[in-house]
Amino acid sequence: MVATSTSRKRSHYIYVYIIVHELLEQFCVNILMARKGGNPNIKNHGFEPAGEEPLTKTLSIRVSESTYQEVKSKDNPGEFCRQAIQKALDEDKRKQNDTPST
């Protein structure tokens, strides 16, 4: 009697699993499926770089916790870092150009 009860529970669980799995599959297909043929107006919704040059490379640096928190508190931390790096590079170039060659 115990074996029959256990096998009924198993078959019930399998049946419920199959129904739930099928419902999730249908839901995911309806919600996540891309439009056949793609979006014809994709260029209207694409990413445009803010500056003259596209931002295609990443740069990772290590900083102290206090520096990290201060940078993250800025309105646009990425742009803040880009401007700071560019300012330092421009200053370095200016110093090299001002130094006479020997």
Side-chain angles (χ1 to χ4, degrees), residues 16-34:
V16 169
Y17 172 80
I18 291 171
I19 290 174
V20 168
H21 183 68
E22 287 176 359
L23 287 173
L24 284 173
E25 250 183 13
Q26 289 174 357
F27 176 76
C28 291
V29 165
N30 290 336
I31 297 299
L32 301 176
M33 191 167 138

Side-chain angles (χ1 to χ4, degrees), residues 7 9 11 22 29 33 41-43 52 54 57 61-62 70-71 75-77 82:
S7 65
K9 285 182 183 178
S11 65
E22 287 176 359
V29 165
M33 191 167 138
N41 300 321
I42 192 68
K43 293 190 184 228
E52 301 169 5
K57 299 294 181 184
I61 59 170
R62 294 193 182 273
E70 197 170 339
V71 169
D75 289 338
N76 189 344
R82 282 188 286 277

